[in-house]
Amino acid sequence: MSPWWRHAVIYQVYVRSFADSDGDGIGDLPGVRSRLPYLRDLGVDALWLNPFYPSPQADAGYDVSDYRDVDPRFGALADAEALIADAHAYGLRVIFDLVPNHTSDEHPWFRAALAAPPGSRERARYLFRDGRGSLPPNNWASAFGGRAWTQVADGQWYLHLFAPQQPDLDWTNDEVREEFRSILRFWLDRGVDGFRVDVAHGLAKDPEMPDLGAGQATSGPAVAGHPHWDLDEVHDVYRSWRRISDGYPGDRTFVGEIWVADPARLARYLRPDELHTAFNFTFLLAPWEAGALRRAVDESMQALTAVGAPATWVLSNHDVIRHVTRYGGGATGVRRARAAALLMLALPGGAYVYQGEELGLPEVTDLPAELRQDPTFLRTRGADPGRDGCRVPLPWSGTAPPFGFGPGTAWLPQPAEWARLTVDRQAGDPASMLSLYRSALRHRATVPALTEGPLGWLPADGDVLAFDRGPGFVCVVNAGDRPAAAPDRVRGARLLLSSDPLGGNGVLPPDTAAWYIAEL
């Protein structure tokens, strides 16, 4: 059998929005523990938790002040250890988020750096530089808006590619490298099964720190020659980490958040001695068009095959607009999201399910400005709505907010219309999005071709995608706006599952996907 991470379906838990155990309106680790049976019954193989470490929460926990503990908002270290043990007892693996590009400005290292003089050991852990007269060292911009440099009292500037409260570490520094190797061992010793690496393409910076040139933006996928994204020196870091993870039993794993424009550049991070997998943003960003979807699949798989790595497919996460809304919203968006789920779960490799997508949750676009917390919204003064709309707490039960999320008011308000989207409401409806995901994941676990079979494209017309995974399984997707006949290959085959009811003679309605078992 191949390692579990090559074909796993991993559920992303955005901790503060998953389940609140104590009534403070914020999800926590005891809340996650209480809902582990739900994840087991959903049929996923593992869960990835967004950061829960001590943090001032300037960027929802991606500004870490202590990498070896749990923020009191979310519980205690004992809760993290118990969560790992409970998940393993349910047959679930656990992946923690690791944030190596930057710390919080309240991290002891950065506080020491501010108190120390220029040129000191303390400042050498971060990227402090002298300015150009009264100007910062270069024109680099923050991904959250504004410039990427903040000046301190003695006149030097420090780099923060994100918020000012997130100073970038200097990964040429031996102390920084050894500290993170120690952090990995701390959690691996406690049984964690792997790490999702935040901003994995960003650790290395051009030491000359040249100005950004034309087309070299801070946000969006990295382009060739960029001075602070996707530099070759970052690969040495991951080789050292891989040596650590390979020393532990149980196929421990790394998954990278790597925003690069070229799948071939992505593949470089997944060579046999580096990271194991990476999120497939090419697939996530593809529009709902048959040609675009096939190109995303082909380009990704061709690049990864060269390094022996599996693809990892994803439709939504905590940083992007939920795909029900991206695909058109309303009934159209839901219909396409249902079909996209069957497409994603039929592809070779692994997949990630972002919490709430199995309920068909849309983006929440009308959040009050005073309740928004995303620094993107705050630093652009609302010009960019930010990511809060995809982070609204889950609806579990009941007919009114907070829909079973917890005993108190949720940190972000849930729309009243989510009463029809709660877990309890959908669990009893065989036509619901939740039932579709449960059925698809059950079949994925029991049909061998869905984990081990190769992908082979089949002849199909127009807006139809069709492929098999070996001789016994076929997936067909009609991404067009007109009904389409299924390919000849599935004539006489048994319908296993469809995203919506098929028409007469097996005709696929618009925005519909179907799985077939071909009797051999």
Side-chain angles (χ1 to χ4, degrees):
M1 290 292 292
S2 59
W4 68 274
W5 47 265
R6 295 190 68 90
H7 50 74
V9 177
I10 301 173
Y11 187 94
Q12 181 187 352
V13 174
Y14 193 71
V15 177
R16 63 170 43 232
S17 295
F18 189 68
D20 171 21
S21 71
D22 58 11
D24 65 357
I26 298 174
D28 46 45
L29 297 185
V32 177
R33 288 180 66 196
S34 73
R35 297 293 187 176
L36 288 175
Y38 168 77
L39 299 181
R40 175 202 59 198
D41 295 343
L42 181 60
V44 297
D45 302 296
L47 58 153
W48 150 41
L49 291 87
N50 290 97
F52 50 76
Y53 312 110
S55 166
Q57 301 294 315
D59 182 25
Y62 283 91
D63 49 320
V64 179
S65 57
D66 183 351
Y67 290 85
R68 296 179 179 85
D69 206 350
V70 173
D71 193 298
R73 298 175 182 88
F74 303 126
L77 181 58
D79 293 312
E81 295 170 335
L83 172 61
I84 294 170
D86 287 357
H88 288 170
Y90 283 118
L92 299 167
R93 311 257 187 169
V94 181
I95 293 174
F96 284 176
D97 220 314
L98 186 67
V99 188
N101 180 69
H102 47 261
T103 70
S104 164
D105 62 349
E106 295 188 15
H107 191 285
W109 273 12
F110 192 72
R111 289 181 171 179
L114 293 180
S120 63
R121 168 190 173 188
E122 290 81 4
R123 290 210 174 175
R125 297 163 176 157
Y126 294 89
L127 290 163
F128 280 86
R129 295 291 186 271
D130 294 326
R132 299 180 292 188
S134 61
L135 298 175
N138 58 33
N139 69 349
W140 293 4
S142 163
F144 291 158
R147 61 190 177 192
W149 296 93
T150 290
Q151 194 170 30
V152 300
D154 58 32
Q156 278 204 311
W157 301 74
Y158 70 87
L159 178 69
H160 52 85
L161 293 178
F162 295 89
Q165 300 90 337
Q166 296 168 292
D168 280 41
L169 289 161
D170 185 347
W171 274 89
T172 67
N173 183 283
D174 289 340
E175 274 194 275
V176 171
R177 292 186 177 224
E178 181 52 40
E179 171 68 1
F180 274 83
R181 289 192 286 262
S182 175
I183 291 165
L184 293 177
R185 294 186 186 100
F186 178 87
W187 290 111
L188 290 168
D189 288 344
R190 282 160 176 76
V192 74
D193 298 288
F195 299 91
R196 176 262 191 187
V197 184
D198 186 58
V199 196
H201 59 297
L203 275 57
K205 280 82 175 176
D206 186 331
E208 299 299 322
M209 293 199 166
D211 278 352
L212 290 173
Q216 293 179 334
T218 299
S219 58
V223 296
H226 201 289
H228 63 68
W229 293 147
D230 189 32
L231 274 69
D232 289 343
E233 290 78 5
V234 76
H235 298 285
D236 289 339
V237 175
Y238 302 132
R239 291 188 187 101
S240 72
W241 289 9
R242 182 64 176 262
R243 288 192 292 271
I244 292 172
S245 69
D246 284 351
Y248 284 80
D251 293 320
R252 313 296 175 97
T253 189
F254 292 105
V255 56
E257 181 204 27
I258 305 166
W259 287 91
V260 291
D262 181 358
R265 294 295 298 183
L266 178 69
R268 290 168 55 84
Y269 291 79
L270 307 182
R271 289 173 288 195
D273 60 346
E274 296 191 41
L275 303 178
H276 300 77
T277 61
F279 296 109
N280 192 324
F281 295 123
T282 301
F283 182 72
L284 182 151
L285 296 172
W288 184 251
E289 299 169 1
L293 292 166
R294 176 162 178 173
R295 282 192 300 274
V297 172
D298 284 343
E299 290 174 4
S300 300
M301 294 194 64
Q302 288 168 7
L304 297 177
T305 297
V307 295
T312 300
W313 313 102
V314 58
L315 293 169
S316 283
N317 64 34
H318 67 292
D319 284 334
V320 299
I321 295 171
R322 286 187 176 274
H323 60 278
V324 163
T325 301
R326 291 202 322 271
Y327 286 157
T332 297
V334 170
R335 192 169 60 246
R336 291 174 174 174
R338 292 173 65 92
L342 293 196
L343 169 61
M344 177 181 75
L345 294 173
L347 291 170
Y352 278 75
V353 173
Y354 177 47
Q355 65 176 47
E357 76 172 70
E358 80 279 15
L359 303 178
L361 298 185
E363 188 83 357
V364 180
T365 59
D366 58 352
L367 292 169
E370 63 272 16
L371 295 180
R372 291 182 179 268
Q373 298 187 21
D374 187 352
T376 303
F377 176 84
L378 301 175
R379 284 177 62 82
T380 62
R381 298 183 180 181
D384 187 326
R387 302 160 293 175
D388 291 316
C390 66
R391 300 175 175 182
V392 174
L394 290 188
W396 291 95
S397 60
T399 58
F403 297 119
F405 170 68
T409 301
W411 70 281
L412 283 176
Q414 301 145 305
E417 56 266 28
W418 280 12
R420 60 183 177 81
L421 299 177
T422 65
V423 171
D424 279 3
R425 179 81 173 265
Q426 295 197 43
D429 179 3
S432 70
M433 184 77 83
L434 178 58
S435 294
L436 177 70
Y437 268 77
R438 285 178 170 172
S439 295
L441 291 168
R442 183 176 66 253
H443 290 310
R444 184 180 167 100
T446 57
V447 176
L450 281 170
T451 53
E452 301 295 340
L455 181 146
W457 291 107
L458 302 174
D461 296 328
D463 296 313
V464 175
L465 293 172
F467 58 89
D468 63 22
R469 295 288 309 280
F473 175 88
V474 177
C475 175
V476 182
V477 182
N478 179 11
D481 57 6
R482 297 179 180 179
D488 291 343
R489 173 67 184 277
V490 301
R491 289 181 181 174
R494 175 169 59 89
L495 178 66
L496 186 66
L497 183 65
S498 62
S499 60
D500 279 299
L502 303 188
N505 297 318
V507 169
L508 278 77
D511 304 321
T512 300
W515 289 358
Y516 301 87
I517 294 293
E519 305 296 345
L520 301 180

